[in-house]
Amino acid sequence: MTTSASLNRRKLLQLAGGSLAAAAGVGGISLLTPRVASAQAGYKAVVCLFLYGGNDGTNMVVPNDLSRYNQYQSVRGALALPRGSLVGLGSSGFGLHPAMSALAPVWSAGALTPVFNVGPLYAPVTKTELRNAPASSPLLPDSLFSHSDQQVLWETSTTSALERTGWGGRAAAAMGIGSPVISVGGNGRFGLSSLDAPLVLPEPGSTFGLEGLSSTSVPVVQRKAALSAIYGLPQGNVLGDIYAQRQLEAMAVADRLGALVKIQPVDGVSGGIDAAFAPLTSANGELTTRLGDQLYQVAKLINGRTTVQGNRHIFFAQMGGFDNHSNQVSGDSQSGDHARLLKEMADAMACFHNAMVALGLSDQVTLFTQSDFGRTFKTNSSNGTDHAWGNHQLVMGGAVRGNNTHGVYPDLVLGGPSDIGVDSWEQHGRWVPTSSVDQYAATLLSWMGASNGQLDSVLPNLANFGSARSLGFLG
C-alpha cells in the first residue's frame, strides 16, 4: 500500500541530481531523521505483523474443549482440523493450527497469548443495537467486509476509511519517540503521521542509500560531497530550503544505517540472532522465507538500537496471501494454502522470539498481529471462507501475561448473539467484535509508556469504552 504523498516525495527525489531511491525496490525511505526523544526509562519496542487478505483466525486458534470443538467441527466441515492434531495451549481450552508447532515452546515459556474477537469498533455494541442502528450511525464501521477499507480501519484504529494517518505513526509523534515507524514491509498506512512517513528498509543483504552514490570509489565520494555542499547552501526560498534539508537528512540516515541493514546470516556477525534464525537459513547463508527476512532485519535493528537511535521503536512487518476464498485446504484440513502461511508465520515468529531471548530483550519487545478482518465461521462451497468482521490475534513477548487467553471468544452458533446475521441467508458467522482495535492498541502503547492523554489523542474512539481501556494481555 503506497500513499500518493510518498510517491510524490520519491518523484521529487528522482529528479534531483543525486537521487535517493529505494534499496532493492522495497519503497522509499523516510526523509526524516530521528528527532530528540523525550526521556523514557529503558528500551521497549513493538512489532506489528499485518496479515493482509484476512487471516482465518478461527482455524489459527481452535477450541479443543469437547463441547465447543463439536460446534466448531459441525460447521467447518472440510476445513475442520482434527482435535488431536491441535498444538495444545495448556489448560486454556484452545489449541493452535498444527502447522504452528514452532510456537509451542513460546507458549510454554509464557510468552504467547491469543486475543479473541478484536475488530474496528466505534463503541461497545451488541448485535441487536447494530441491527437497529440507522445506516448513518457511527456504530457501523465504514465498508465492512471490504479488504482495502478494513485494512485502513485496522492500521488507523478508526471506523472511517477516509483517515490518512496510522495509529503507529500517530503514537510515535504523540509519545515523542524521536523516530518514525520503521517498516520492513513497505509503505503501510500504519506508519503515517501528519508529518512523518515510515522509514522503509529493504531486506538483509540489500544496499540502502543513495542510488548511484553508494560506492566508496574516489569519484563517487567526491560527487556525494559536492551534492551535500550544494544542499547545504541557502536555496533562496522556503520550499527549496526544506527540500534541501530533507535530502541532507535522508543522506545522514542512509550513512548511519546502511551497513547495519546490509548484514545477513552469511556475514556471520550477528551472533545470537544468526543462531536463532538458523532454522530459516539456507546452506549459503540466506534467509528462506520473506517473513524470516523481515523479522531478521527487525532483530538486527533492535540489537543495533544505539545506531538506530532512541529507546522506543515501533516496527512494521507484513505477510500477504490470506484471502482464501477457495482451496484454503488441500487434500486434508491440515494441508493447503492456509497451513503454508501459518507455518511461515509461526516459524519466523519463533525464530524472532529466540533472538530476543538470546539478546536478553524478550521482556522489552512485543510482537502482535493484525489483519483485515476474520473469515466466516461457516465454510463456502469452494473449501474456503469469506469476509467477516471480528478476528483473533496473537501477541508474543516476555511481557505477555501468558499461559492464558484474553478477550471473549464468540458464541459458535450461526445466527446466534455473536453472529451479525439474522435471516438464514446471512447466517455465516461474521462475529461482532467484543474488543476494539483501540483497546488492543491502547494495551500495547500503554505498556510502551504512553500516558492516558497520549492514548486519547492517538486513539480517538478509546474514550467510548469507558474504564475498559486495556485488554490486560501485557504486564
Side-chain angles (χ1 to χ4, degrees):
M1 187 183 300
T2 306
T3 66
S4 59
S6 59
L7 281 171
N8 289 339
R9 289 192 190 96
R10 285 211 301 276
K11 185 64 175 176
L12 285 170
L13 288 170
Q14 289 163 0
L15 293 173
S19 66
L20 277 169
V26 179
I29 68 168
S30 169
L31 302 185
L32 300 177
T33 53
R35 306 297 190 234
V36 177
S38 57
Q40 299 177 83
Y43 177 77
K44 286 187 176 181
V46 293
V47 184
C48 174
L49 172 53
F50 205 103
L51 310 176
Y52 283 107
N55 175 43
D56 181 10
T58 304
N59 261 26
M60 180 176 73
V61 186
V62 181
N64 64 5
D65 66 275
L66 189 57
S67 175
R68 261 196 298 217
Y69 178 80
N70 286 340
Q71 289 179 307
Y72 158 86
Q73 185 183 44
S74 68
V75 175
R76 287 247 121 176
L79 268 64
L81 296 161
R83 188 174 177 223
S85 74
L86 300 176
V87 179
L89 298 181
S91 60
S92 69
F94 295 90
L96 296 176
H97 191 291
M100 305 183 77
S101 60
L103 289 176
V106 186
W107 167 269
S108 297
L112 181 75
T113 188
V115 183
F116 294 134
N117 202 16
V118 186
L121 286 174
Y122 176 77
V125 68
T126 65
K127 172 180 176 176
T128 301
E129 290 170 333
L130 279 169
R131 300 295 304 202
N132 293 331
S136 60
S137 171
L139 292 175
L140 295 167
D142 282 354
S143 304
L144 276 177
F145 320 135
S146 157
H147 282 295
S148 58
D149 295 299
Q150 296 308 298
Q151 288 164 10
V152 169
L153 300 197
W154 266 95
E155 291 189 49
T156 64
S157 191
T158 66
T159 50
S160 170
L162 298 178
E163 175 59 46
R164 189 187 74 83
T165 63
W167 70 261
R170 296 197 304 270
M175 294 173 65
I177 284 177
S179 66
V181 170
I182 301 172
S183 173
V184 292
N187 274 319
R189 185 84 58 105
F190 175 79
L192 284 175
S193 73
S194 59
L195 294 177
D196 283 2
L199 172 60
V200 181
L201 300 177
E203 63 188 9
S206 300
T207 298
F208 174 70
L210 293 167
E211 184 176 298
L213 292 177
S214 297
S215 169
T216 57
S217 68
V218 173
V220 172
V221 170
Q222 290 174 338
R223 284 198 296 271
K224 182 177 176 183
L227 185 61
S228 297
I230 292 170
Y231 284 136
L233 297 172
Q235 302 298 308
N237 61 76
V238 173
L239 288 178
D241 286 339
I242 293 173
Y243 176 71
Q245 181 60 28
R246 292 297 182 264
Q247 288 280 48
L248 290 172
E249 291 174 348
M251 292 164 73
V253 171
D255 286 345
R256 190 173 75 251
L257 299 184
L260 179 59
V261 166
K262 194 166 187 177
I263 294 170
Q264 54 187 333
V266 70
D267 299 317
V269 296
S270 292
I273 298 174
D274 287 347
F277 278 86
L280 295 182
T281 304
S282 68
N284 63 358
E286 296 180 351
L287 278 305
T288 56
T289 69
R290 179 73 184 100
L291 185 59
D293 272 332
Q294 293 178 63
L295 295 186
Y296 179 85
Q297 194 71 286
V298 173
K300 284 191 304 164
L301 293 165
I302 289 172
N303 188 39
R305 58 198 178 278
T306 302
T307 300
V308 177
Q309 299 179 0
N311 66 351
R312 292 289 187 277
H313 290 134
I314 300 175
F315 295 95
F316 179 83
Q318 59 94 6
M319 285 183 67
F322 286 90
D323 191 19
N324 300 142
H325 288 283
S326 61
N327 300 320
Q328 183 170 322
V329 299
S330 176
D332 62 70
S333 62
Q334 300 176 60
S335 306
D337 291 344
H338 195 232
R340 174 182 54 79
L341 290 165
L342 291 181
K343 176 174 172 52
E344 179 178 345
M345 180 177 83
D347 288 354
M349 286 175 60
C351 289
F352 181 78
H353 171 73
N354 291 337
M356 294 303 100
V357 171
L359 296 176
L361 293 171
S362 175
D363 292 349
Q364 296 161 257
V365 179
T366 299
L367 181 148
F368 62 96
T369 64
Q370 296 193 145
S371 193
D372 314 16
F373 36 57
R375 313 294 297 191
T376 50
F377 180 40
K378 183 179 180 179
T379 59
N380 60 30
S381 59
S382 303
N383 275 350
T385 49
D386 299 320
H387 302 177
W389 188 0
N391 201 3
H392 312 319
Q393 307 298 336
L394 293 178
V395 183
M396 182 182 76
V400 163
R401 288 177 173 156
N403 303 124
N404 200 357
T405 63
H406 296 269
V408 180
Y409 194 81
D411 177 72
L412 298 181
V413 177
L414 297 180
S418 298
D419 183 358
I420 195 172
V422 172
D423 296 329
S424 58
W425 62 269
E426 60 180 356
Q427 294 178 10
H428 295 283
R430 291 183 167 101
W431 311 132
V432 179
T434 43
S435 297
S436 72
V437 179
D438 300 71
Q439 292 168 296
Y440 187 60
T443 309
L444 292 153
L445 296 178
S446 179
W447 172 76
M448 285 193 80
S451 67
N452 283 335
Q454 290 168 339
L455 291 177
D456 288 331
S457 70
V458 172
L459 308 168
N461 292 332
L462 184 61
N464 299 337
F465 294 86
S467 60
R469 299 166 69 87
S470 171
L471 300 180
F473 54 78
L474 291 175

